[in-house]
């Protein structure tokens, strides 16, 4: 099942390592990454992932990613891809 | 692949602009729960709701988590209790409300609607018993919502019911005086009530509905407000287009949730209700959308036109996003539940007369309005009659949810808390309508042809 993981917040060292490390730990495969800094130092990253290899139900993955966000002082969301398809594609 | 910009736009809607699905409402028919013994009937009602809605809350939460879409309320609407209880040998319908309340608490939902009667043409004996039970039912339950339909375009207005509801509202306020008349916040008087409304307090599962159904109510005033703020000074053509596009996106979220809930619960999908439902949170207000169009304060001249545009554009955008649209579908203007409306009413910019005019062009009606506690029952009945007349003549739903706040007067504020917010007490006309209400009878149904 495909999902979108978004990470946003003030830039600092190790955000990508922490987010992707957590996804690897959960056995979630990353298909695509877009990352940018909005001036002056606002970090945003959008990842398309495949969660079908994970043993955990997707709700639990979403919870763990959100918890990681709280730990790092960032907004991290993991949502099924259909949410964005529904809103932006007819 | 969806672009990062689109993804981040969606995330901002959820995180900063209060986009949510207001409610997943399961409609459940209770017609097969009728029984001569009221206790047996109540047991059957309790069992059926628990059986049907047992997984509603957990399913709603799972969908919310997986799709990242906040789903604020899970609710149940049932067959109007006056139809179900009619077979029972009792004059007291309060136990039916208690059975609903107990079932609602067992399954963990936020509200249950359907302690209702449809009396637009006249009362059955069961309707009379139900209406007489409303004040106590609302005072002795927590989650039960009640509604009475007193008029329709086809049947006219039952003025005996209008007069009675004036008294019922006063009594419901008195019995919940310690909570500011909170009972009245759970009671709606309708004209042209719809059978598939997912929003409270007016939800019930109409007799034309299937055995069980999933209806979804969207929200999203904050998102629309943000969109309108991006087109400052532009002509109304641009404003309308902007709102339509936004409403389309919001409704697609509703449709996604509805489809998913329907599949997981194995219950047919009914409708998505395209209503902009505000909350007391800053940034989630319908009034602020109207002000963004160029009005200094909601309630000033131009407000009705702004609301008409908003209401229409939301429908036009939303209709294409869902295969079935229904319920109330329009902008709500509940005063206590809308931060901008509260501010406008507190300033004196928004009064009952302007609110009544606004209800001609938007969804529902006079909603969550606090008036002085000493307002006579006849005046409340006359307010209901005016609102029902607007609904009847314009072939639309109108409603009155008004709180004669015990012991309060103009300038005071009533606090309800949560989604119900707080309401500044606003004045009513001091001149009597009592002889008008005392006439009783029915106002005949209006002409619907010969419109030249």
């Amino acid at each position: 099942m495909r999902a979108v993981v978004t990470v946003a917040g003030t830039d600092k060292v190790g955000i990508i390592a922490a987010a992707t490390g957590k996804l690897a730990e959960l056995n979630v495969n990353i298909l695509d990454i877009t990352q940018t800094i909005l001036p002056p130092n606002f970090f945003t990253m959008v990842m398309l992932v495949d969660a079908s290899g994970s043993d955990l139900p997707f709700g639990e993955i979403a919870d763990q990613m959100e918890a990681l966000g709280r730990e790092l002082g960032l907004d991290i969301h993991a949502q099924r891809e259909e949410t964005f398809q529904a809103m932006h594609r007819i | 692949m969806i672009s990062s910009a689109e993804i981040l736009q969606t995330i901002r809607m959820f995180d900063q602009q209060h986009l949510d699905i207001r409610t997943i409402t399961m409609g459940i028919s209770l017609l097969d729960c009728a029984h001569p013994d009221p206790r047996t009937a109540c047991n059957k009602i309790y069992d059926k709701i628990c059986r049907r809605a047992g997984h509603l809350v957990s399913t709603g939460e799972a969908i919310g988590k997986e799709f990242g879409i906040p789903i604020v309320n899970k609710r149940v609407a049932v067959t109007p209790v006056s139809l179900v209880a009619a077979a029972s040998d009792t004059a007291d319908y309060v136990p039916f409300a208690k059975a609903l309340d107990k079932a609602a608490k067992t399954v963990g939902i936020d509200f249950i609607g359907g302690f209702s009667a449809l009396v637009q043409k006249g009362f059955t004996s069961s309707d009379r018993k139900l209406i007489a039970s409303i004040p106590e039912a609302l005072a002795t339950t927590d989650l039960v919502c009640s509604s009475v339909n007193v008029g329709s375009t086809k049947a006219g207005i039952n003025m005996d019911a209008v007069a009675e509801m004036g008294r019922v509202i006063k009594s419901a306020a008195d019995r919940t005086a310690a909570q500011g008349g909170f009972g009245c916040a759970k009671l709606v008087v309708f004209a042209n009530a719809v059978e598939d409304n997912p929003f409270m307090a007016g939800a019930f599962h109409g007799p034309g509905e299937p055995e069980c159904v999933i209806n979804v109510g969207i929200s999203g005033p904050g998102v629309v407000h943000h969109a309108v703020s991006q087109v400052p000074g532009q002509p109304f053509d641009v404003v309308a287009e902007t709102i339509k596009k936004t409403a389309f996106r919001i409704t697609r979220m509703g449709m996604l949730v509805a489809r998913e809930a329907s599949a997981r619960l194995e219950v047919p999908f009914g409708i998505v209700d395209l209503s902009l439902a505000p909350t007391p949170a800053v940034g989630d207000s319908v009034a602020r959308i109207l002000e963004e169009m160029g009005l200094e304060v909601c309630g000033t001249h131009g407000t009705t036109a702004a609301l008409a545009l908003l209401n229409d554009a939301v429908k036009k955008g939303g209709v294409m996003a869902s295969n079935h649209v229904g319920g109330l579908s329009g902008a709500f203007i509940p005063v206590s539940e809308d931060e901008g409306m509260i501010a406008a009413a507190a300033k004196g910019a928004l009064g009952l007369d302007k609110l009544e005019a606004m209800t001609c062009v938007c969804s529902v009606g006079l909603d969550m309005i606090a008036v002085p506690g000493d307002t006579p029952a006849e005046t409340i009945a006359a307010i209901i009659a005016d609102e029902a007349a607007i609904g009847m003549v314009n072939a639309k739903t109108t409603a009155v949810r008004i709180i004669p706040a015990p012991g309060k007067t103009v300038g005071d504020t009533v606090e309800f808390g949560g989604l119900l917010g707080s309401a500044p007490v606003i004045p009513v006309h001091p001149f009597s309508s009592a002889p008008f209400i005392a006439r009783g009878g029915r106002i005949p149904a209006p002409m619907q042809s010969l419109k030249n």
Side-chain angles (χ1 to χ4, degrees):
Chain A
M1 183 238 306
R2 283 163 39 130
V4 172
V5 178
T6 53
V7 183
T10 306
D11 192 26
K12 62 181 171 188
V13 172
I15 296 178
I16 297 178
T20 56
K22 186 74 185 173
L23 289 170
E25 184 190 307
L26 296 168
N27 207 28
V28 173
N29 189 30
I30 299 171
L31 306 174
D32 189 79
I33 299 183
T34 310
Q35 187 266 312
T36 188
I37 299 288
L38 301 174
N41 65 339
F42 192 78
F43 175 97
T44 61
M45 177 164 67
V46 178
M47 290 181 275
L48 181 67
V49 302
D50 182 354
S52 45
S54 178
D55 296 333
L56 294 173
F58 186 71
E60 176 65 22
I61 294 173
D63 273 350
Q64 291 208 21
M65 292 309 289
E66 219 156 279
L68 176 70
R70 279 194 297 274
E71 219 173 274
L72 298 173
L74 302 162
D75 285 325
I76 302 185
H77 300 291
Q79 294 161 267
R80 284 174 58 165
E81 191 189 18
E82 292 99 314
T83 302
F84 305 95
Q85 295 282 5
M87 185 172 276
H88 296 287
R89 296 290 179 270
I90 296 175
Chain B
M1 169 75 185
I2 308 289
S3 76
S4 301
E6 288 170 326
I7 288 169
L8 294 173
Q9 180 191 20
T10 304
I11 299 286
R12 276 195 298 273
M13 285 185 187
F14 290 128
D15 284 359
Q16 293 160 28
Q17 298 158 21
H18 301 278
L19 176 58
D20 58 51
I21 300 300
R22 179 52 46 82
T23 177
I24 299 179
T25 303
M26 178 182 274
I28 304 173
S29 170
L30 297 183
L31 287 170
D32 57 353
C33 299
H35 196 278
D37 173 27
R39 263 186 298 185
T40 306
C42 287
N43 289 339
K44 289 175 83 171
I45 288 170
Y46 174 83
D47 291 344
K48 184 161 188 187
I49 294 168
C50 293
R51 193 170 68 245
R52 283 290 186 176
H55 298 295
L56 176 61
V57 172
S58 59
T59 304
E61 281 169 1
I63 293 171
K65 197 177 281 181
E66 287 177 32
F67 292 89
I69 304 170
I71 299 169
V72 179
N73 275 190
K74 293 87 182 169
R75 301 167 173 170
V76 166
V78 298
T79 307
V81 166
S82 75
L83 300 178
V84 183
S88 297
D89 187 18
T90 178
D92 178 15
Y93 282 8
V94 174
F96 289 90
K98 289 185 172 165
L100 295 178
D101 200 47
K102 189 174 152 207
K105 286 171 180 166
T106 302
V107 298
I109 53 173
D110 303 284
F111 280 112
I112 186 163
F115 196 73
S116 304
L118 310 174
V119 299
Q120 60 270 26
K121 197 83 173 279
F123 303 92
T124 63
S125 58
S126 180
D127 294 331
R128 287 191 191 280
K129 292 178 203 169
L130 182 123
I131 290 171
S133 303
I134 288 174
E136 192 183 338
L138 295 177
T140 55
T141 60
D142 298 312
L143 306 177
V144 174
C145 293
S146 176
S147 56
V148 176
N149 192 64
V150 298
S152 75
T153 302
K154 298 262 191 244
I157 301 173
N158 178 350
M159 289 299 289
D160 293 322
V162 168
E164 182 62 23
M165 289 316 293
R167 294 188 285 270
V168 167
I169 287 171
K170 288 287 285 184
S171 171
D174 289 342
R175 280 174 182 251
T176 50
Q179 299 99 49
F182 180 65
C184 299
K186 301 182 286 180
L187 173 59
V188 184
V189 186
F190 275 118
N192 288 325
V194 293
E195 300 197 352
D196 53 4
N197 164 24
F199 287 102
M200 295 296 171
F204 62 87
H205 185 73
E209 292 287 303
E211 179 68 18
C212 191
V213 72
I214 287 291
N215 297 321
V216 165
I218 60 161
S219 178
V223 183
V224 174
H225 178 264
H226 176 79
V228 175
S229 74
Q230 301 302 299
V231 291
Q234 298 285 314
F236 284 113
D237 320 64
V238 177
V239 175
E241 279 302 303
T242 304
I243 295 171
K244 273 164 66 179
K245 286 178 189 159
T246 309
F248 177 82
R249 293 198 167 103
I250 297 170
T251 309
R252 292 276 283 193
M253 289 292 101
M255 193 59 216
L256 175 65
V257 167
R259 207 168 29 226
E260 202 63 30
S262 160
R264 292 186 190 194
L265 292 162
E266 297 177 351
V267 170
F269 160 62
I271 55 96
V272 172
D273 187 320
L274 308 178
S275 293
L276 284 186
T279 69
V282 172
D284 205 18
S285 155
V286 169
R288 299 296 186 200
I289 301 173
L290 307 179
E291 291 171 0
E292 190 63 43
M293 288 189 213
L295 302 170
E296 185 180 350
V297 188
C298 176
T300 191
H301 304 293
T303 301
T304 310
L307 184 58
L309 179 148
L310 172 66
N311 198 55
D312 184 63
V314 166
K315 282 181 209 171
K316 285 174 176 163
V319 153
M320 192 180 148
S322 171
N323 45 6
H324 294 287
V325 168
L328 299 167
S329 285
F332 290 167
I333 51 169
V335 174
S336 79
E337 300 175 9
D338 184 307
E339 170 268 325
M341 297 271 175
I342 296 168
K347 268 184 206 162
L350 186 61
L352 262 181
D353 292 344
K354 190 62 179 178
L355 282 161
E356 185 183 311
M358 290 163 74
T359 66
C360 299
V361 299
C362 80
S363 184
V364 194
L366 296 173
D367 197 13
M368 289 303 288
I369 293 168
V371 297
D374 60 1
T375 305
E378 293 83 1
T379 297
I380 291 171
I383 290 169
I384 295 169
D386 282 343
E387 209 44 44
I390 290 169
M392 174 181 76
V393 169
N394 295 300
K396 72 185 286 293
T397 307
T398 49
V400 174
R401 183 161 54 143
I402 195 166
I403 302 107
K408 304 267 184 182
T409 187
V410 176
D412 294 342
T413 296
V414 195
E415 297 285 344
F416 297 116
L419 284 180
L420 294 167
S422 66
V425 176
I426 59 176
V428 298
H429 287 287
F431 309 105
S432 173
S433 314
F436 175 80
I437 293 300
R439 286 175 184 269
R442 286 193 285 144
I443 293 181
M447 289 295 277
Q448 285 295 303
S449 57
L450 305 179
K451 289 205 164 185
N452 295 338

